[in-house]
């Protein structure tokens, strides 16, 4: 692959239909995303059947938007990269089959990319579709620790090289973003819950409602948020849901107490992971990396650590990171074969 080759990225693993054009040196020319938030909002979570239908409707217009934004024609695309998993099977299929058809019709190579590994590699992107120039500190490179936090995953990953990523901590139950979404639902707030609770938490007192930080015996790098979710559910039941709907300050304090517990639990494992691996660089990736409380606490707590939080457009699901990982792998990603299937539970290591 030459540094000026153009890679088309396609991502449809959950509820964002996304296409992006990325140069082989990681420069993002375009990063088009059709979000399904309004579609799933009434249900307080993603409805898989509705998601896959919306992907099928949106994938070609989003592809056109990505090419248009980049100012290139399909004939100028040299290769493509698509998410093979993990994710919702019907959603994955929409992007995967589109990618196979395009690769076949245009006779260009394609690569099957792991969604979480692509999140982990997102710090290496830059350019107009990535929110500006490069955003990582000058000394940021492999090896580093990544905290991948979203609605579907919460893991600690030791990234030794683009093709060598080891999962050293994982979610035992709910993912961090899922906990945000469920707690917001319990409190009668909207969907997705993360940004709403983050806003409320900024004006709340985290000491009014305090929650126990879960720690898993024998596996100190694993995460558990279901106990926290249950504790919030009990509190809401005890005090009455109306209390949090009527008393804005009570809702802010509960959001702040919940967020302090999530942030503290995440950063405690990060500190242990950095120590275990002898690493001094951290990337926080995935939708929850947009969280302002987490960003502030990480900067305060992790002195001496070279820290990257990608811009929000690269934290939530996007196709730039999919093409970006293919670029970093320099053609060593898994080749896309016409008889290959998606893998909804694709393990990372
Ligand atoms: O990476 P993403 O777009 O999709 C998944 O792969 O899940 O992440 C979406 C998740 C949702 O659970 C959402 O509530 C959460 O990221 N999220 C946040 C914030 N913004 C998005 N969580 C906490 N604070 C935020 N500011
Ligand atoms: Zn994701």
């Amino acid at each position: 692959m030459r540094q000026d080759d153009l890679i088309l990225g396609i991502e449809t693993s959950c509820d964002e239909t996304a296409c992006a054009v990325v140069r082989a040196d990681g420069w993002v020319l375009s990063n088009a995303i059709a979000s399904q938030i309004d579609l799933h909002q009434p249900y307080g979570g993603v409805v898989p059947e509705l998601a896959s239908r919306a992907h099928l409707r949106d994938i070609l217009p989003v592809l056109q938007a990505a090419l248009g934004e980049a100012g290139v024609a399909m004939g100028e695309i040299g290769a493509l990269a698509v998410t093979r998993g993990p994710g919702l099977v019907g959603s994955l299929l929409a992007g995967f089959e589109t990618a196979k058809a395009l690769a076949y019709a245009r006779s260009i190579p394609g690569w099957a990319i792991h969604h979480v590994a692509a999140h982990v590699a997102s710090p290496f992107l830059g350019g107009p579709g990535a929110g500006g120039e490069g955003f990582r500190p000058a000394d940021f490179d492999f090896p580093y620790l990544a905290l991948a936090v979203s609605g579907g995953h919460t893991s600690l990953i030791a990234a030794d090289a683009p093709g060598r990523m080891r999962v050293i901590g994982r979610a035992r139950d709910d993912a961090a973003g899922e906990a945000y979404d469920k707690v917001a639902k319990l409190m009668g707030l909207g969907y997705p819950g993360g940004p709403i609770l983050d806003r409320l938490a900024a004006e709340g007192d985290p000491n009014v409602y305090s929650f126990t930080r879960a720690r898993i015996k024998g596996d100190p790098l694993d995460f558990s948020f279901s106990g926290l979710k249950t504790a919030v559910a009990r509190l809401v039941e005890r005090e009455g849901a109306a209390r949090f709907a009527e008393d804005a300050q009570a809702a802010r304090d509960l959001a702040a107490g919940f967020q302090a517990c999530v942030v503290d639990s995440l950063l405690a494992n990060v500190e242990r992971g950095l120590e275990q691996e002898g690493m001094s660089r951290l990337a926080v990736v995935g939708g929850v990396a947009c969280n302002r409380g987490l960003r502030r606490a990480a900067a305060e707590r992790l002195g001496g650590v070279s820290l990257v939080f990608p811009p929000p457009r690269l934290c939530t699901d996007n196709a730039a990171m999919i093409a970006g990982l293919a670029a970093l792998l320099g053609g060593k990603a898994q080749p896309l074969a016409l008889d290959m299937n998606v893998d909804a539970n694709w393990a990372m290591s």
Side-chain angles (χ1 to χ4, degrees):
M1 209 168 16
R2 290 201 329 260
Q3 289 296 291
D4 58 353
D5 277 351
L6 297 180
I7 306 173
L8 174 68
I10 299 182
E11 149 67 37
T12 62
S13 66
C14 188
D15 60 343
E16 258 100 24
T17 316
C19 293
V21 178
V22 178
R23 224 168 46 201
D25 62 356
W27 194 251
V28 183
L29 276 74
S30 68
N31 187 9
I33 302 173
S35 167
Q36 301 176 7
I37 283 181
D38 294 344
L39 181 67
H40 303 294
Q41 164 100 47
Y43 307 96
V46 178
V47 183
E49 175 63 23
L50 295 181
S52 41
R53 288 188 214 182
H55 284 308
L56 284 174
R57 181 195 63 206
D58 293 339
I59 186 75
L60 292 179
V62 170
L63 168 64
Q64 267 181 321
L67 292 172
E69 213 181 287
V72 300
M74 190 63 212
E76 295 171 72
I77 298 292
L80 58 83
V82 61
T83 307
R84 182 180 177 215
L88 301 169
V89 68
S91 290
L92 287 164
L93 278 168
F96 204 67
E97 293 305 311
T98 304
K100 284 202 272 184
L102 282 171
Y104 180 65
R106 312 286 327 178
S107 301
I108 52 177
W111 295 294
I113 297 292
H114 191 285
H115 177 89
V116 184
H119 270 300
V120 172
S122 58
F124 294 91
L125 300 169
E133 299 284 315
F135 48 83
R136 65 181 195 270
D139 64 346
F140 196 89
D141 206 337
F142 291 94
Y144 59 93
L145 186 71
L147 171 67
V149 266
S150 75
H153 19 257
T154 303
S155 347
L156 265 187
I157 295 147
D160 301 311
R164 192 173 143 72
M165 295 184 184
R166 294 173 283 125
V167 180
I168 59 169
R170 41 183 65 76
R172 287 300 183 98
D173 37 61
D174 295 354
E178 195 180 353
Y180 267 96
D181 296 337
K182 286 180 176 168
V183 163
K185 198 172 174 180
L186 282 170
M187 292 174 67
L189 305 167
Y191 170 84
I196 304 170
L197 286 169
D198 191 11
R199 263 195 311 275
L200 287 177
E203 291 167 17
D205 177 352
N207 299 312
V208 175
Y209 302 103
S210 174
F211 301 99
T212 312
R213 275 65 168 154
R215 200 171 158 178
I216 293 159
K217 263 211 186 98
D219 284 308
L221 300 183
D222 282 0
F223 303 90
S224 169
F225 293 109
S226 75
L228 171 61
K229 178 195 64 192
T230 308
V232 174
R234 289 224 183 91
L235 177 81
V236 171
E237 204 177 284
R238 205 167 53 236
E239 302 220 355
R243 168 155 166 67
F244 297 101
E246 285 156 13
D247 181 347
Q249 194 52 43
R252 291 185 197 118
D253 293 341
L254 176 53
F258 164 78
Q259 177 148 302
C261 181
V262 174
V263 167
D264 220 17
S265 310
L266 292 174
L267 293 181
N269 286 24
V270 161
E271 284 170 339
R272 286 191 281 268
L274 287 169
E275 198 184 318
Q276 175 186 302
E277 298 297 320
M279 287 175 166
S280 57
R281 304 184 187 106
L282 174 74
V284 186
V285 299
V288 182
C290 297
N291 190 270
R292 288 180 299 167
L294 178 59
R295 288 178 180 237
R296 199 175 323 111
E300 278 168 17
R301 231 167 118 162
L302 303 172
V305 172
S306 176
L307 196 59
V308 182
F309 279 85
R313 207 176 164 73
L314 291 181
C315 287
T316 49
D317 285 347
N318 66 88
M321 66 182 190
I322 304 298
L325 177 55
L328 266 185
L329 287 166
K332 290 199 198 85
Q334 182 174 60
L336 181 67
L338 290 184
D339 60 355
M340 184 183 275
N341 204 352
V342 297
D343 187 347
N345 301 307
W346 198 6
M348 196 162 162
S349 60

